[in-house]
DNA sequence: GATGAATGAGTTTTCATTCAT
DNA sequence: AATGAATGAAAACTCATTCAT
């Protein structure tokens, strides 16, 4: 019998899992939790996904795609007045935090490094694609930048670092100070 | 009265767990695995530690302490010729990576954010203490630095970001480029 | 090697176990708990007692003996003015409750019926001996009593029933009412 | 493995647990024992009940409800000729004993007092409800009774006491004598 | 398409008991 | 006389997965 997959059910599942992952992490959610949240049976879950890993894979793709899309949208809206401050502000202050996905971000990374190479490679691929798009924004915001690629890379590191800070609820020095420091990199020097 | 715990067994356990955590992550190791690796019974494990969390707690303390110690040692050895390049090099290239603890670092963070507040607060406390020590190094390496605190904070973010990169085996742009970029922050500008 | 048993240590153990049993029940206390409360090692515990059951056995003997002694002492003190009310009052209101041992009483009974026949027979033997002594008190308090034996037996049932009420924290009707009801049994009727 | 669909799995479990509890007590039965007796897996047990306490809770409700029902049925059948003797006889001789549940009764009480307040309150609630129904029987059997409430309470104490006697296999004086003694309470006095 | 009963291998944890010192 | 390190068997509980319906 050929399977006819109902897209709506799949999306329902993903949305529910996303919420659960963001709350309690990948390892802590059981398929029972997911089924209950979706108001479907565990059997149905297995009709749409062949394993728990399968679900997580889809979540990762969705997560990075959404981060990217929301970023691109923002850049598009502000392309006229893209000052370094505003650019860095959206990256830092609103970056992973804006989308309220810091926790999921870290949880997913953790899942990737537990041994699932396919998952990890997919995440890296998507992450790298985003970095390339970040470069475009960097060039727009910092006219005099010398090495936009390295700068974009640095921003990605900082985003990951901030995600960790966010989930760890560490002492944050404040956006203004952070922006002030990083801004210098893109500015002309003597 | 006062229990004299066999230090060797406790250290044996910690070392084994460290290796296992670095290999397969906190959630993936069972107490059975640990006991087998140490060649002791599960009962003995509980003689030394009252729970799995207890063990992880000790691991975290050990992990951050060691990172700190090795860093301080390095700074001490190089205090005569602490150029910005060398300083950033040890932080970035050798930071978490040097000690081959990136994976454990991320795994431990993940463990912290799963809901164990005590664990998380301890990690934050230790991490903040290290940041303060980093500030001292920053001041030594960058004579003209304006805001050493923010810079040290940035470095911590980058270290976390690099740890993620390391465990995810993402495309790394190379230390030289990264150092070049970050160095600018500490330099005088027009 | 002949064992030289230190009476004081044994008494220390018994006292501690008694307190623990009264608080959390026989099954819930571990030898570790006992050792900690006595401030001795588990090994020492095994020097004085060959098993957990051994300890419980001693506790039971001590428990019933003390109940009996305190009762006899009280009867002796009040033999001059032993009204039915006072007698029933001490049996009911102060019976098991007086000695604050209701919980232990029930816990011990439970232990006995779990399969340990030796324990059970010992308890019964002691309990029956006490019943016989109760009969003497009954005869003193109720001059016109017809069947003192049955009455004493009834009192034993009530004491057990009250012990259960006590530990279950059920709704108690009040001593006065209970005394009033039971008193009738011992009184002349038309 | 042959999967035999059993619609009455929950009832099977309860019945098996009841038998085991009556035989060896609550603490002594493991979920493994139960599963084996029901010929199901431990997993299945947890499919129907979320914990051991959950099972015991159901057992308690069932136990008290059944005691009550059988008593009410009996009263209904004998309402025409409810002499004091017959009434007391069914309460004492057949009360807890009749239904062969004395052991379970005590075991359940013991479970309640070990710290499980919810269990205890439930038991008390049910027990009190039964006492109220006993009062009705008392009024029917003893026309001249003054304080039916206290008398019913006394009967409850005696039932508990008899349950203990039963499980402890103590020396029983005989129903006739006990009935004779208690009967006096309900009779007119000078 | 969808279900939910059933599973079994896995997990963490407890604890009475032993024994060399 | 006393200890405490070590154990192993058993406990309660979890959960991804299967499959007949």
């Amino acid at each position: 019998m050929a399977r006819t997959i109902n897209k709506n059910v799949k999306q329902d599942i993903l949305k529910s899992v996303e919420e659960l992952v963001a709350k309690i992490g990948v390892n802590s959610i059981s398929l029972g939790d997911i089924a209950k949240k979706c108001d479907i049976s565990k059997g149905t879950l297995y009709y749409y996904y062949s394993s728990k890993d399968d679900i997580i894979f889809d979540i990762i793709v969705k997560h990075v795609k959404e981060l990217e899309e929301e970023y691109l949208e923002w850049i598009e809206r502000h392309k006229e007045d893209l000052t370094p401050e505003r650019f860095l502000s959206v990256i830092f202050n609103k970056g992973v935090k804006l989308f309220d996905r810091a926790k999921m971000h870290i949880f997913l990374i953790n899942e990737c490094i537990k041994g699932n190479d396919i998952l990890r490679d997919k995440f890296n691929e998507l992450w790298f694609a985003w970095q390339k798009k970040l470069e475009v924004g960097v060039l727009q915001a910092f006219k005099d930048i010398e090495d936009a690629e390295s700068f974009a890379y640095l921003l990605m590191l900082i985003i990951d670092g901030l995600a960790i800070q966010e989930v760890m609820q560490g002492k944050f020095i404040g956006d203004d100070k952070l922006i002030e420091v990083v801004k210098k990199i893109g500015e002309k020097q003597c």
Side-chain angles (χ1 to χ4, degrees), chain A:
Chain A
M1 251 191 285
R3 283 195 172 182
T4 349
I5 300 295
N6 181 342
K7 283 278 173 192
N8 290 332
V9 176
K10 274 198 109 168
Q11 261 160 20
D12 257 22
I13 294 171
L14 281 189
K15 206 171 149 248
S16 297
V17 176
E18 234 175 7
E19 280 170 44
L20 287 169
V21 169
K23 218 185 281 171
I24 52 175
V26 171
N27 326 101
S28 302
I29 44 169
S30 71
L31 295 188
D33 294 335
I34 296 170
K36 201 191 283 171
K37 199 160 204 301
C38 298
D39 209 20
I40 58 173
S41 72
K42 275 205 268 181
T44 307
L45 222 49
Y46 272 85
Y47 183 78
Y48 289 97
Y49 285 100
S50 60
S51 74
K52 195 185 176 185
D53 273 359
D54 228 42
I55 301 177
I56 301 303
F57 186 86
D58 259 23
I59 289 286
I60 286 180
V61 173
K62 191 164 177 269
H63 165 67
V64 184
K65 277 265 155 68
E66 279 177 5
L67 272 183
E68 193 179 308
E69 270 165 29
E70 290 175 47
Y71 158 76
L72 287 177
E73 224 172 70
W74 186 89
I75 287 285
E76 183 60 27
R77 273 206 316 279
H78 296 82
K79 63 180 167 187
E80 303 305 320
D81 52 351
L82 205 59
T83 62
E85 282 82 4
R86 298 190 85 162
F87 178 72
L88 291 177
S89 171
V90 76
I91 297 299
F92 294 160
N93 183 31
K94 302 185 173 171
V96 179
K97 287 192 281 176
L98 167 70
F99 317 118
D100 192 21
R101 296 192 191 99
K103 231 174 182 170
M104 188 167 68
H105 189 70
I106 302 301
F107 279 137
L108 291 178
I109 282 168
N110 192 68
E111 199 56 26
C112 289
I113 59 181
K114 264 169 61 184
N116 196 329
D117 291 352
I118 298 164
L119 223 56
R120 191 200 59 209
D121 291 346
K122 185 71 190 170
F123 204 140
N124 276 336
E125 182 198 315
L126 296 164
W127 206 235
F128 188 68
W130 192 29
Q131 188 185 310
K132 283 294 141 200
K133 290 189 177 125
L134 219 69
E135 242 180 275
V136 180
V138 165
L139 283 169
Q140 285 178 11
F142 297 85
K143 313 291 182 194
D144 303 318
I145 190 84
E146 281 170 23
D147 185 354
E149 190 196 11
S150 298
F151 191 44
Y153 178 77
L154 177 68
L155 292 180
M156 296 300 279
L157 292 181
I158 295 174
I159 287 170
D160 279 344
L162 282 171
I164 288 183
Q165 279 294 310
E166 182 74 10
V167 296
M168 291 292 282
Q169 302 176 25
K171 287 182 194 168
F172 185 44
I173 58 158
D175 285 325
D176 294 344
K177 284 188 173 180
L178 186 61
I179 290 170
E180 200 61 38
V181 165
V182 179
K183 208 178 64 180
K184 287 183 183 169
I185 297 167
E187 290 172 350
K188 268 246 166 72
Q189 288 177 270
C190 307

